[in-house]
Amino acid sequence: MISKKCLYALKAVLALARHQGAGPMTIQQIADAQEIPARFLEAILRDLKQNGFTESIRGKEGGYILARPAREIRMGDIITCLEGPWYTPGPDTDVFSTIWEEADRVLTGVVNQIDFQSLLKREDELRFSHTPDYSI
Amino acid sequence: MISKKCLYALKAVLALARHQGAGPMTIQQIADAQEIPARFLEAILRDLKQNGFTESIRGKEGGYILARPAREIRMGDIITCLEGPWYTPGPDTDVFSTIWEEADRVLTGVVNQIDFQSLLKREDELRFSHTPDYSI
DNA sequence: GACAATCCCTACTAAATCAATAGGGATAGT
DNA sequence: ACTATCCCTATTGATTTAGTAGGGATTGTC
């Protein structure tokens, strides 16, 4: 399965996407909102920054923002950034190589179809469908 | 990526598939043929046996055979047996859950389409296409 | 019945990876 | 100056991976 680190990264980007246009979010805010250990999140956000997904503002009133619109960041981008490629073709091919390639292809296909704008929308729909209706 | 243990299991089953009908193969034979540490392979074969993929014959002239025809064993069966499920749905669903489910679905789809009879055929074709032609 | 080749079972270990935590340094707004 | 923020390196404990070790049980052959 996906590592916690990677899941934290996805959640952090999602939080930043929701906050986009409202100034920077501090590490602590993101950590609180998504239940991520703050010191761990710090390293993750630095990683995301180095790969061009986030930008940071230092000093007081500082924090993190997305470097690009949520629409232009795909789940697959973040996953590849944190986990590296799922399968790397080696020099010698056996019967299984082509199958790992196929698996990689379909997996990439799934996560690259989803950008963070659509994740926000999905999240809203999920919240809507899960809100219990207490009316009589 | 896939663990070495799982890859060894796949290779072992493939070796047994190729040997099917020609009596049992010893652990050592499989280990030599597929370049797997014999003591490690021992544990893997036991695991495969407990899950009904292989059978063993003890004593001299003993060894391992496939418990079913190669056609009836799929790659996905072996992988699930060794690695467990890639994703297990938890009690609480978030935006990502449905995506992991979809990823699991497509991945399972790929490896469950391939049985070991077709792997043998693929291997033969690969060997054919890779044999260098030294004729003038 | 002795012997040798095989599978069977439990326990142990070394290395790598995962999931953080710790301690300070640099920067910027007030 | 003070404080809230990000920045960087190093360290740690737990878990998983990839084996290894030592012996026990079974069965065919002489």
Side-chain angles (χ1 to χ4, degrees):
Chain A
M1 254 293 291
I2 205 97
S3 70
K4 285 202 171 187
K5 187 172 183 179
C6 188
L7 192 55
Y8 289 161
L10 291 168
K11 285 183 169 183
V13 171
L14 190 61
L16 288 174
R18 193 166 286 290
H19 202 253
Q20 208 165 25
M25 266 184 110
T26 69
I27 293 172
Q28 197 57 54
Q29 283 176 324
I30 302 172
D32 291 346
Q34 303 290 337
E35 301 188 334
I36 304 170
R39 282 326 270 285
F40 195 22
L41 179 59
E42 200 178 316
I44 294 167
L45 285 169
R46 189 149 32 95
D47 216 341
L48 289 173
K49 182 189 173 183
Q50 269 157 10
N51 286 277
F53 296 110
T54 57
E55 283 172 12
S56 63
I57 296 106
R58 300 177 71 162
K60 213 167 177 183
E61 307 293 294
Y64 276 89
I65 55 172
L66 288 188
R68 300 183 252 154
R71 175 109 275 159
E72 295 173 21
I73 304 177
R74 300 171 299 177
M75 270 188 76
D77 300 328
I78 304 298
I79 294 173
T80 305
C81 172
L82 270 287
E83 306 267 39
W86 182 75
Y87 169 72
T88 329
D92 41 340
T93 60
D94 61 3
V95 233
F96 300 113
S97 322
T98 57
I99 294 158
W100 305 143
E101 272 168 36
E102 172 71 2
D104 192 16
R105 239 174 35 74
V106 297
L107 216 46
T108 308
V110 169
V111 292
N112 276 358
Q113 263 173 7
I114 299 160
D115 61 74
F116 279 84
Q117 187 62 49
S118 71
L119 273 178
L120 285 179
K121 196 179 153 208
R122 277 176 185 241
E123 200 177 37
D124 292 339
E125 287 164 3
L126 210 102
R127 214 184 304 255
F128 177 71
S129 71
H130 273 47
T131 302
D133 185 357
Y134 291 122
S135 65
I136 309 178
Chain B
M1 255 293 290
I2 206 97
S3 71
K4 284 202 171 188
K5 187 172 182 178
C6 188
L7 192 54
Y8 290 160
L10 292 169
K11 285 182 168 184
V13 172
L14 190 60
L16 288 174
R18 193 166 285 290
H19 202 252
Q20 209 164 25
M25 264 184 114
T26 68
I27 293 172
Q28 198 56 54
Q29 283 175 325
I30 303 173
D32 290 345
Q34 303 290 336
E35 301 188 333
I36 304 170
R39 285 322 274 281
F40 194 23
L41 179 59
E42 200 179 316
I44 293 167
L45 285 170
R46 189 150 28 96
D47 213 342
L48 288 173
K49 181 189 175 184
Q50 269 157 8
N51 285 277
F53 296 110
T54 57
E55 284 172 11
S56 63
I57 296 105
R58 301 178 70 164
K60 215 168 175 184
E61 307 293 295
Y64 276 90
I65 54 171
L66 287 189
R68 300 182 252 155
R71 173 109 278 156
E72 293 172 24
I73 305 176
R74 300 172 299 177
M75 268 189 76
D77 299 329
I78 304 299
I79 294 174
T80 305
C81 172
L82 272 286
E83 306 266 41
W86 181 75
Y87 168 73
T88 330
D92 41 341
T93 59
D94 60 3
V95 234
F96 300 114
S97 322
T98 55
I99 295 159
W100 306 142
E101 273 169 34
E102 172 70 3
D104 193 14
R105 239 173 35 75
V106 298
L107 216 45
T108 307
V110 169
V111 292
N112 275 358
Q113 262 173 7
I114 299 162
D115 61 75
F116 279 83
Q117 187 62 51
S118 70
L119 272 179
L120 285 180
K121 198 178 152 211
R122 278 178 185 239
E123 201 177 37
D124 291 340
E125 287 164 2
L126 210 99
R127 216 184 303 256
F128 178 71
S129 71
H130 272 44
T131 302
D133 185 357
Y134 292 123
S135 65
I136 309 180

Coordinates of all heavy atoms in Angstrom, one line a residue, chain B residues 18-89:
Chain B
R18 N 6.5 -25.5 -15.9 CA 7.3 -26.1 -17.0 C 7.6 -27.5 -16.8 O 7.7 -28.3 -17.8 CB 8.5 -25.2 -17.2 CG 9.2 -25.5 -18.6 CD 10.2 -24.5 -18.9 NE 9.7 -23.2 -19.4 CZ 9.1 -23.0 -20.6 NH1 8.9 -24.0 -21.4 NH2 8.7 -21.8 -20.9
H19 N 7.8 -27.9 -15.6 CA 8.2 -29.3 -15.3 C 7.0 -30.2 -15.1 O 7.1 -31.4 -14.9 CB 9.0 -29.3 -14.0 CG 9.9 -30.4 -13.8 ND1 9.7 -31.4 -12.9 CD2 11.0 -30.8 -14.4 CE1 10.6 -32.3 -12.9 NE2 11.5 -32.0 -13.9
Q20 N 5.8 -29.7 -15.2 CA 4.5 -30.4 -14.9 C 4.4 -31.7 -15.8 O 4.7 -31.7 -17.0 CB 3.3 -29.6 -15.1 CG 2.1 -29.9 -14.2 CD 1.1 -28.9 -14.1 OE1 0.9 -28.1 -15.1 NE2 0.3 -28.9 -13.1
G21 N 4.1 -32.8 -15.1 CA 4.0 -34.1 -15.8 C 5.3 -34.9 -15.7 O 5.3 -36.1 -16.1
A22 N 6.4 -34.3 -15.3 CA 7.7 -35.0 -15.3 C 8.1 -35.3 -13.9 O 9.3 -35.2 -13.6 CB 8.7 -34.1 -16.0
G23 N 7.2 -35.5 -13.0 CA 7.5 -35.9 -11.6 C 7.9 -34.6 -10.8 O 7.9 -33.5 -11.3
P24 N 8.2 -34.9 -9.5 CA 8.4 -33.7 -8.6 C 9.8 -33.1 -8.9 O 10.7 -33.8 -9.4 CB 8.4 -34.3 -7.2 CG 8.7 -35.8 -7.4 CD 8.2 -36.2 -8.8
M25 N 9.9 -31.8 -8.6 CA 11.2 -31.1 -8.6 C 11.6 -30.8 -7.2 O 10.8 -30.5 -6.3 CB 11.0 -29.7 -9.2 CG 11.3 -29.6 -10.7 SD 11.1 -27.9 -11.2 CE 12.7 -27.5 -11.7
T26 N 12.9 -31.0 -6.9 CA 13.4 -30.7 -5.6 C 13.6 -29.2 -5.4 O 13.7 -28.5 -6.4 CB 14.7 -31.4 -5.3 OG1 15.7 -30.8 -6.1 CG2 14.7 -32.9 -5.6
I27 N 13.6 -28.8 -4.1 CA 13.8 -27.4 -3.8 C 15.1 -27.0 -4.5 O 15.2 -25.9 -5.1 CB 14.0 -27.2 -2.3 CG1 12.6 -27.5 -1.6 CG2 14.4 -25.8 -2.0 CD1 12.7 -27.5 -0.1
Q28 N 16.1 -27.8 -4.4 CA 17.4 -27.5 -5.0 C 17.4 -27.2 -6.5 O 18.0 -26.3 -7.0 CB 18.5 -28.6 -4.6 CG 19.9 -28.1 -4.8 CD 20.2 -26.9 -3.9 OE1 20.0 -26.9 -2.7 NE2 20.7 -25.8 -4.5
Q29 N 16.6 -28.1 -7.1 CA 16.5 -27.9 -8.6 C 15.9 -26.6 -9.0 O 16.3 -25.9 -9.8 CB 15.7 -29.1 -9.2 CG 16.4 -30.4 -9.3 CD 15.5 -31.5 -9.8 OE1 14.3 -31.5 -9.4 NE2 16.0 -32.4 -10.5
I30 N 14.8 -26.3 -8.2 CA 14.1 -25.0 -8.5 C 15.0 -23.9 -8.2 O 15.1 -22.9 -9.0 CB 12.8 -24.9 -7.7 CG1 11.9 -26.1 -8.0 CG2 12.1 -23.6 -7.9 CD1 10.7 -26.2 -7.0
A31 N 15.7 -24.0 -7.1 CA 16.6 -22.9 -6.6 C 17.7 -22.6 -7.7 O 18.0 -21.5 -8.0 CB 17.2 -23.2 -5.3
D32 N 18.3 -23.7 -8.2 CA 19.3 -23.6 -9.2 C 18.8 -23.0 -10.5 O 19.4 -22.1 -11.0 CB 19.9 -25.0 -9.5 CG 20.8 -25.5 -8.3 OD1 21.1 -24.7 -7.4 OD2 21.1 -26.7 -8.3
A33 N 17.6 -23.5 -10.9 CA 17.1 -23.1 -12.2 C 16.7 -21.6 -12.1 O 16.9 -20.9 -13.1 CB 15.8 -23.9 -12.5
Q34 N 16.2 -21.1 -11.0 CA 15.7 -19.7 -10.9 C 16.6 -18.8 -10.1 O 16.3 -17.6 -9.9 CB 14.3 -19.7 -10.3 CG 13.3 -20.6 -11.1 CD 13.0 -20.0 -12.5 OE1 13.1 -18.8 -12.7 NE2 12.6 -20.9 -13.4
E35 N 17.8 -19.3 -9.7 CA 18.7 -18.5 -8.9 C 18.0 -17.8 -7.6 O 17.9 -16.6 -7.5 CB 19.3 -17.4 -9.8 CG 20.1 -18.0 -10.9 CD 20.8 -16.9 -11.7 OE1 20.4 -15.8 -11.7 OE2 21.9 -17.3 -12.3
I36 N 17.5 -18.8 -6.8 CA 16.9 -18.4 -5.6 C 17.6 -19.1 -4.4 O 18.0 -20.2 -4.6 CB 15.4 -18.8 -5.6 CG1 14.6 -18.3 -6.8 CG2 14.7 -18.4 -4.3 CD1 13.3 -18.9 -7.0
P37 N 17.9 -18.4 -3.3 CA 18.6 -19.0 -2.2 C 17.7 -20.2 -1.7 O 16.5 -20.0 -1.4 CB 18.6 -17.9 -1.1 CG 18.6 -16.7 -1.9 CD 17.8 -16.9 -3.1
A38 N 18.3 -21.4 -1.6 CA 17.5 -22.6 -1.4 C 16.7 -22.6 -0.1 O 15.6 -22.9 0.0 CB 18.4 -23.8 -1.5
R39 N 17.4 -22.1 1.0 CA 16.8 -22.1 2.3 C 15.6 -21.2 2.3 O 14.6 -21.4 3.0 CB 17.7 -21.8 3.4 CG 18.8 -22.8 3.8 CD 18.3 -24.2 3.9 NE 17.6 -24.7 5.1 CZ 18.3 -25.1 6.2 NH1 19.6 -25.0 6.3 NH2 17.6 -25.5 7.3
F40 N 15.7 -20.1 1.6 CA 14.6 -19.1 1.5 C 13.5 -19.7 0.7 O 12.3 -19.6 1.1 CB 15.2 -17.8 0.9 CG 14.3 -16.6 1.0 CD1 13.4 -16.5 2.1 CD2 14.4 -15.6 0.2 CE1 12.6 -15.4 2.2 CE2 13.6 -14.4 0.3 CZ 12.7 -14.4 1.4
L41 N 13.8 -20.3 -0.4 CA 12.8 -20.9 -1.3 C 12.0 -21.9 -0.5 O 10.8 -22.1 -0.7 CB 13.5 -21.6 -2.5 CG 12.6 -22.3 -3.5 CD1 11.6 -21.3 -4.0 CD2 13.4 -22.9 -4.6
E42 N 12.7 -22.7 0.4 CA 12.0 -23.7 1.2 C 10.8 -23.1 1.9 O 9.7 -23.7 1.9 CB 13.0 -24.2 2.2 CG 12.7 -25.5 2.8 CD 13.8 -26.0 3.8 OE1 15.0 -25.8 3.5 OE2 13.4 -26.4 4.9
A43 N 11.0 -22.0 2.6 CA 9.9 -21.3 3.3 C 8.8 -20.9 2.3 O 7.6 -21.0 2.7 CB 10.4 -20.1 4.1
I44 N 9.2 -20.4 1.2 CA 8.2 -19.9 0.2 C 7.3 -21.1 -0.3 O 6.1 -21.0 -0.4 CB 8.9 -19.2 -1.0 CG1 9.6 -17.9 -0.5 CG2 8.0 -18.9 -2.1 CD1 10.6 -17.3 -1.5
L45 N 8.0 -22.2 -0.6 CA 7.2 -23.4 -1.1 C 6.3 -23.9 -0.1 O 5.2 -24.4 -0.4 CB 8.2 -24.4 -1.6 CG 8.9 -24.1 -2.9 CD1 10.0 -25.1 -3.2 CD2 7.9 -24.1 -4.0
R46 N 6.7 -23.9 1.2 CA 5.8 -24.3 2.3 C 4.6 -23.4 2.3 O 3.5 -23.9 2.4 CB 6.6 -24.2 3.6 CG 5.9 -24.9 4.7 CD 6.8 -25.4 5.8 NE 8.1 -24.7 5.8 CZ 8.4 -23.7 6.7 NH1 7.4 -23.3 7.6 NH2 9.5 -23.2 6.7
D47 N 4.8 -22.1 2.2 CA 3.7 -21.2 2.2 C 2.8 -21.5 1.0 O 1.5 -21.5 1.2 CB 4.4 -19.8 2.0 CG 3.6 -18.7 2.7 OD1 2.4 -19.0 3.1 OD2 4.1 -17.6 3.0
L48 N 3.3 -21.7 -0.2 CA 2.5 -22.0 -1.3 C 1.7 -23.3 -1.1 O 0.6 -23.4 -1.6 CB 3.4 -22.1 -2.6 CG 4.0 -20.8 -3.1 CD1 5.0 -21.1 -4.2 CD2 2.8 -19.9 -3.6
K49 N 2.4 -24.3 -0.4 CA 1.7 -25.5 -0.2 C 0.5 -25.3 0.7 O -0.6 -25.8 0.5 CB 2.7 -26.5 0.5 CG 2.1 -27.8 0.8 CD 3.0 -28.7 1.6 CE 2.4 -30.0 2.0 NZ 3.2 -30.8 2.9
Q50 N 0.7 -24.6 1.8 CA -0.3 -24.3 2.8 C -1.5 -23.6 2.1 O -2.6 -23.7 2.6 CB 0.2 -23.5 4.0 CG 0.7 -24.4 5.1 CD 1.7 -23.6 6.0 OE1 1.9 -22.4 5.8 NE2 2.3 -24.3 6.9
N51 N -1.3 -22.9 1.1 CA -2.4 -22.2 0.4 C -2.9 -23.0 -0.8 O -3.6 -22.4 -1.6 CB -1.9 -20.8 0.0 CG -1.9 -19.9 1.2 OD1 -2.9 -19.3 1.6 ND2 -0.7 -19.8 1.8
G52 N -2.5 -24.2 -0.9 CA -3.1 -25.1 -1.9 C -2.6 -24.9 -3.3 O -3.2 -25.4 -4.3
F53 N -1.4 -24.3 -3.5 CA -0.9 -24.2 -4.9 C 0.1 -25.3 -5.3 O 0.2 -25.7 -6.4 CB -0.2 -22.8 -5.0 CG -1.2 -21.7 -4.9 CD1 -1.1 -20.8 -3.8 CD2 -2.1 -21.4 -5.9 CE1 -2.0 -19.8 -3.6 CE2 -3.0 -20.4 -5.7 CZ -2.9 -19.5 -4.6
T54 N 0.8 -25.8 -4.3 CA 1.7 -26.9 -4.5 C 1.4 -28.0 -3.6 O 0.7 -27.9 -2.6 CB 3.2 -26.4 -4.3 OG1 3.3 -25.9 -3.0 CG2 3.6 -25.3 -5.2
E55 N 2.0 -29.2 -4.0 CA 2.0 -30.4 -3.1 C 3.4 -30.9 -3.0 O 4.2 -30.6 -3.9 CB 1.1 -31.5 -3.7 CG -0.4 -31.2 -3.6 CD -1.2 -32.2 -4.3 OE1 -0.7 -33.2 -4.8 OE2 -2.4 -32.0 -4.5
S56 N 3.7 -31.6 -1.9 CA 5.0 -32.0 -1.7 C 5.1 -33.6 -1.5 O 4.1 -34.1 -1.0 CB 5.7 -31.4 -0.5 OG 5.0 -31.7 0.7
I57 N 6.2 -34.2 -2.0 CA 6.4 -35.6 -1.7 C 7.7 -35.7 -0.9 O 8.7 -35.1 -1.3 CB 6.6 -36.3 -3.1 CG1 5.3 -36.3 -3.9 CG2 7.0 -37.8 -2.8 CD1 5.3 -35.4 -5.0
R58 N 7.6 -36.3 0.2 CA 8.7 -36.4 1.2 C 9.6 -37.6 0.9 O 9.2 -38.5 0.1 CB 8.2 -36.5 2.6 CG 7.4 -35.3 3.0 CD 6.8 -35.4 4.4 NE 7.9 -35.2 5.3 CZ 7.7 -35.0 6.6 NH1 6.5 -34.8 7.1 NH2 8.7 -34.8 7.4
G59 N 10.7 -37.6 1.5 CA 11.6 -38.7 1.4 C 12.4 -38.6 0.1 O 12.3 -37.7 -0.7
K60 N 13.2 -39.7 -0.1 CA 14.0 -39.7 -1.3 C 13.1 -39.8 -2.5 O 12.0 -40.3 -2.5 CB 14.9 -41.0 -1.3 CG 16.3 -40.7 -1.9 CD 17.2 -41.8 -1.7 CE 18.5 -41.5 -2.5 NZ 19.5 -42.6 -2.3
E61 N 13.6 -39.2 -3.6 CA 12.8 -39.1 -4.9 C 11.6 -38.1 -4.7 O 10.7 -38.1 -5.5 CB 12.2 -40.4 -5.3 CG 13.3 -41.5 -5.5 CD 14.2 -41.2 -6.6 OE1 13.8 -41.2 -7.8 OE2 15.4 -41.0 -6.3
G62 N 11.7 -37.4 -3.6 CA 10.6 -36.4 -3.3 C 10.8 -35.1 -4.0 O 11.7 -35.0 -4.8
G63 N 10.0 -34.1 -3.6 CA 10.1 -32.8 -4.2 C 8.7 -32.1 -4.2 O 7.8 -32.5 -3.5
Y64 N 8.6 -31.2 -5.1 CA 7.4 -30.4 -5.2 C 6.7 -30.5 -6.6 O 7.4 -30.7 -7.6 CB 7.6 -28.9 -4.9 CG 7.6 -28.6 -3.4 CD1 8.8 -28.6 -2.7 CD2 6.4 -28.2 -2.8 CE1 8.8 -28.3 -1.3 CE2 6.4 -27.9 -1.5 CZ 7.6 -28.0 -0.7 OH 7.6 -27.6 0.6
I65 N 5.4 -30.5 -6.6 CA 4.7 -30.4 -7.9 C 3.5 -29.4 -7.7 O 3.2 -29.0 -6.6 CB 4.0 -31.8 -8.2 CG1 3.1 -32.3 -7.1 CG2 5.1 -32.8 -8.6 CD1 2.3 -33.5 -7.4
L66 N 3.0 -29.0 -8.8 CA 1.8 -28.1 -8.7 C 0.6 -28.9 -8.3 O 0.4 -30.0 -8.7 CB 1.6 -27.4 -10.1 CG 2.6 -26.4 -10.5 CD1 2.0 -25.7 -11.8 CD2 2.8 -25.3 -9.4
A67 N -0.2 -28.3 -7.5 CA -1.4 -29.0 -7.0 C -2.5 -28.9 -8.1 O -3.5 -29.7 -8.0 CB -1.9 -28.4 -5.7
R68 N -2.4 -28.0 -9.0 CA -3.4 -27.8 -10.0 C -2.7 -27.6 -11.4 O -1.6 -27.2 -11.4 CB -4.3 -26.6 -9.8 CG -5.0 -26.7 -8.5 CD -5.9 -25.4 -8.4 NE -5.4 -24.5 -7.4 CZ -5.6 -23.2 -7.4 NH1 -6.3 -22.6 -8.4 NH2 -5.1 -22.4 -6.5
P69 N -3.5 -27.8 -12.5 CA -2.9 -27.5 -13.8 C -2.5 -26.0 -13.9 O -3.1 -25.1 -13.3 CB -4.0 -27.7 -14.8 CG -5.0 -28.5 -14.1 CD -4.8 -28.3 -12.6
A70 N -1.4 -25.7 -14.6 CA -0.9 -24.3 -14.7 C -1.9 -23.4 -15.2 O -2.0 -22.2 -14.8 CB 0.3 -24.3 -15.6
R71 N -2.8 -23.9 -16.0 CA -3.9 -23.0 -16.6 C -4.8 -22.5 -15.5 O -5.4 -21.4 -15.6 CB -4.7 -23.9 -17.6 CG -5.9 -23.3 -18.1 CD -5.8 -22.9 -19.6 NE -5.1 -21.6 -19.8 CZ -4.5 -21.3 -20.9 NH1 -4.4 -22.1 -21.9 NH2 -3.9 -20.1 -21.1
E72 N -4.9 -23.2 -14.4 CA -5.8 -22.8 -13.3 C -5.2 -22.0 -12.2 O -5.8 -21.8 -11.1 CB -6.5 -24.1 -12.8 CG -7.4 -24.7 -13.8 CD -8.0 -26.0 -13.3 OE1 -8.0 -26.3 -12.1 OE2 -8.3 -26.9 -14.2
I73 N -3.9 -21.7 -12.4 CA -3.3 -20.8 -11.4 C -2.9 -19.5 -12.0 O -2.3 -19.4 -13.1 CB -2.0 -21.4 -10.8 CG1 -2.2 -22.8 -10.3 CG2 -1.3 -20.6 -9.7 CD1 -1.0 -23.6 -9.8
R74 N -3.4 -18.4 -11.4 CA -3.2 -17.1 -12.0 C -2.1 -16.3 -11.2 O -1.9 -16.6 -10.0 CB -4.5 -16.2 -11.9 CG -5.7 -16.8 -12.6 CD -6.9 -16.1 -12.4 NE -7.3 -16.1 -10.9 CZ -8.3 -15.5 -10.4 NH1 -9.1 -14.8 -11.2 NH2 -8.6 -15.6 -9.1
M75 N -1.4 -15.4 -11.9 CA -0.4 -14.6 -11.2 C -1.0 -14.0 -10.0 O -0.3 -13.9 -8.9 CB 0.1 -13.5 -12.1 CG 1.3 -13.9 -13.0 SD 1.9 -12.5 -13.9 CE 2.8 -11.6 -12.6
G76 N -2.1 -13.4 -10.1 CA -2.8 -12.7 -9.0 C -3.0 -13.6 -7.8 O -2.8 -13.1 -6.6
D77 N -3.2 -14.9 -8.0 CA -3.4 -15.8 -6.9 C -2.2 -15.9 -6.1 O -2.2 -15.8 -4.8 CB -3.8 -17.2 -7.4 CG -5.1 -17.2 -8.2 OD1 -6.0 -16.3 -7.9 OD2 -5.2 -18.0 -9.1
I78 N -1.0 -16.0 -6.7 CA 0.3 -16.2 -6.1 C 0.6 -14.8 -5.4 O 1.1 -14.9 -4.2 CB 1.4 -16.5 -7.1 CG1 1.0 -17.8 -7.8 CG2 2.7 -16.7 -6.4 CD1 0.8 -19.0 -6.9
I79 N 0.4 -13.8 -6.0 CA 0.8 -12.5 -5.5 C 0.0 -12.2 -4.2 O 0.5 -11.8 -3.2 CB 0.6 -11.3 -6.5 CG1 1.6 -11.5 -7.6 CG2 0.7 -10.0 -5.8 CD1 1.4 -10.5 -8.8
T80 N -1.4 -12.4 -4.3 CA -2.2 -12.2 -3.1 C -1.8 -13.1 -2.0 O -1.7 -12.7 -0.8 CB -3.7 -12.5 -3.5 OG1 -4.0 -11.7 -4.6 CG2 -4.6 -12.1 -2.3
C81 N -1.4 -14.3 -2.3 CA -1.0 -15.3 -1.3 C 0.2 -14.8 -0.6 O 0.3 -14.9 0.7 CB -0.7 -16.7 -2.0 SG 0.0 -17.9 -0.9
L82 N 1.2 -14.3 -1.3 CA 2.5 -13.9 -0.7 C 2.4 -12.5 -0.1 O 3.0 -12.2 1.0 CB 3.6 -14.0 -1.7 CG 4.3 -15.3 -1.9 CD1 5.3 -15.5 -0.7 CD2 3.4 -16.4 -2.1
E83 N 1.7 -11.6 -0.7 CA 1.8 -10.2 -0.3 C 0.6 -9.7 0.5 O 0.6 -8.7 1.1 CB 1.9 -9.3 -1.6 CG 3.0 -9.6 -2.5 CD 4.2 -8.7 -2.2 OE1 4.5 -8.6 -1.0 OE2 4.9 -8.3 -3.2
G84 N -0.5 -10.5 0.4 CA -1.7 -10.1 1.0 C -2.4 -9.1 0.1 O -1.8 -8.7 -1.0
P85 N -3.6 -8.6 0.4 CA -4.2 -7.6 -0.5 C -3.5 -6.3 -0.5 O -2.9 -5.9 0.5 CB -5.6 -7.4 0.2 CG -5.4 -7.8 1.6 CD -4.3 -8.8 1.6
W86 N -3.4 -5.6 -1.7 CA -2.7 -4.4 -1.8 C -3.4 -3.3 -1.0 O -2.8 -2.5 -0.3 CB -2.7 -4.0 -3.3 CG -1.9 -2.7 -3.5 CD1 -0.6 -2.5 -3.5 CD2 -2.5 -1.4 -3.8 NE1 -0.3 -1.2 -3.7 CE2 -1.4 -0.5 -3.9 CE3 -3.8 -0.9 -4.0 CZ2 -1.6 0.8 -4.2 CZ3 -4.0 0.4 -4.3 CH2 -2.9 1.3 -4.4
Y87 N -4.7 -3.3 -1.1 CA -5.5 -2.3 -0.3 C -6.7 -2.9 0.4 O -7.4 -3.7 -0.2 CB -6.1 -1.2 -1.3 CG -7.1 -0.3 -0.6 CD1 -6.7 0.6 0.3 CD2 -8.4 -0.4 -0.9 CE1 -7.6 1.5 0.9 CE2 -9.4 0.4 -0.3 CZ -9.0 1.4 0.6 OH -9.9 2.2 1.2
T88 N -6.8 -2.6 1.7 CA -8.0 -3.2 2.5 C -8.8 -2.0 2.9 O -8.3 -1.1 3.5 CB -7.5 -3.9 3.7 OG1 -6.2 -4.4 3.5 CG2 -8.5 -4.9 4.2
P89 N -10.1 -2.0 2.5 CA -11.0 -0.9 2.8 C -11.2 -0.8 4.3 O -11.5 -1.8 5.0 CB -12.3 -1.2 2.1 CG -12.2 -2.6 1.7 CD -10.8 -3.0 1.7

